[in-house]
């Protein structure tokens, strides 16, 4: 996920308060509607979008990433790969050991033993608030889930996505463009694996900072 950088994605405290420790709760916490002005940028530059997969990311695209905070790779994954990833995510949600690990993460966050803002690949499974009405025996399905974290360590398919050479090369290029030395970025590690699934009927996910 090559996403927004810098401070422009910070939300006002009335919409998101990190001190409330809600990141790992089993169910999403409803908030006040976000103001329409949040989605009305002052400038509308051309989308930093291109074809060619991760291997085709150019210096121009990296310049756009530094300026706009994102890169859209139109053909990063083919249909078969996308289907495989969706199936793997669903298997993670159904995995009792992952759900148990996610419950442990929530407990550690609630007791201040863990701060997810510090990064790390901690398992998190958060359902949409509406999933409270779904019987527990049938709740663990992808279409009820709002957010998954730390899943790449529980799935060989998802781990292989993070280890793709073309993706890692693109990340190295972005880091070097940001000022890192080439020798500093040869060995990469996953800071966080995160899937914002946002099923139909769930709460919006407004602008946020991802990297």
């Amino acid at each position: 996920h090559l996403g927004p950088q810098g401070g422009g994605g910070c939300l006002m405290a009335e919409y998101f308060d990190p001190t409330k420790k809600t990141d790992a709760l089993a169910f999403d916490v409803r908030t006040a509607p976000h103001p329409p002005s949040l989605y009305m940028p002052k400038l509308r530059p051309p989308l930093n979008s291109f074809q060619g997969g991760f291997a085709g990311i150019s210096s121009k695209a990296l310049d756009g990433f530094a300026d706009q905070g994102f890169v859209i790779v139109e053909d990063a994954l083919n249909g078969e790969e996308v289907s495989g990833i969706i199936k793997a995510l669903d298997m993670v949600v159904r995995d009792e050991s992952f759900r148990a690990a996610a419950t442990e993460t929530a407990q550690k966050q609630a007791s201040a033993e863990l701060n997810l803002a510090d990064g790390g690949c901690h398992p998190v499974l958060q359902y949409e608030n509406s999933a409270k009405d779904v019987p527990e025996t049938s709740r663990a399905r992808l279409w009820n889930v709002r957010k998954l974290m730390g899943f790449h360590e529980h799935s060989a398919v998802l781990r292989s996505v993070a280890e793709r050479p073309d993706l890692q090369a693109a990340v190295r290029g972005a880091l070097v463009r940001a000022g890192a030395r080439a020798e500093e970025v040869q060995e990469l590690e996953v800071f966080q694996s995160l899937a914002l699934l946002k099923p139909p009927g769930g709460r919006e996910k407004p602008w946020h900072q991802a990297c």
Side-chain angles (χ1 to χ4, degrees):
H1 182 158
L2 301 179
Q5 61 181 358
C10 296
L11 300 180
M12 293 176 285
E14 64 182 293
Y15 300 104
F16 178 70
D17 183 354
T19 64
K20 292 181 180 179
K21 303 182 177 65
T22 60
D23 302 84
L25 290 180
F27 296 95
D28 178 48
V29 177
R30 296 190 183 279
T31 65
H34 299 285
S37 59
L38 183 66
Y39 305 106
M40 300 176 63
K42 295 180 180 179
L43 298 175
R44 296 183 181 275
L47 287 178
N48 188 29
S49 173
F50 68 97
Q51 302 280 343
F54 291 116
I57 292 181
S58 63
S59 58
K60 181 180 179 181
L62 293 178
D63 288 343
F65 175 71
D67 181 53
Q68 299 182 35
F70 65 88
V71 178
I72 300 175
V73 186
E74 298 285 356
D75 47 0
L77 302 168
N78 61 42
E80 184 178 351
E81 290 169 326
V82 171
S83 296
I85 289 170
I86 292 173
K87 181 178 179 180
L89 288 170
D90 187 56
M91 292 178 65
V92 168
V93 172
R94 296 168 184 256
D95 185 344
E96 290 185 8
S97 65
F98 180 84
R99 298 203 302 273
T103 298
E104 183 178 354
T105 298
Q107 293 170 343
K108 288 182 177 180
Q109 185 185 49
S111 65
E113 182 181 346
L114 175 66
N115 184 356
L116 292 179
D118 293 334
C121 298
H122 306 288
V124 170
L125 168 58
Q126 186 174 85
Y127 296 101
E128 288 288 357
N129 192 274
S130 58
K132 289 180 178 180
D133 299 328
V134 178
E136 188 173 357
T137 53
S138 56
R139 185 181 296 150
R141 300 294 185 272
L142 200 61
W143 53 80
N144 294 318
V145 176
R146 177 176 177 79
K147 177 173 64 178
L148 279 176
M149 294 173 60
F151 47 77
H152 74 286
E153 294 184 339
H154 292 258
S155 167
V157 171
L158 300 174
R159 184 168 57 252
S160 70
V161 175
E163 295 174 348
R164 285 178 55 139
D166 56 352
L167 173 58
Q168 293 205 359
V171 173
R172 289 190 186 95
L175 290 171
V176 170
R177 172 62 179 77
R181 297 192 304 273
E183 60 269 22
E184 294 177 323
V185 299
Q186 292 309 303
E187 296 294 331
L188 299 176
E189 61 182 49
V190 177
F191 173 79
Q192 180 189 80
S193 54
L194 170 63
L196 296 174
L197 299 167
K198 298 173 286 188
R203 183 171 63 87
E204 64 180 319
K205 183 65 178 178
W207 295 115
H208 58 284
Q209 180 173 312
C211 83

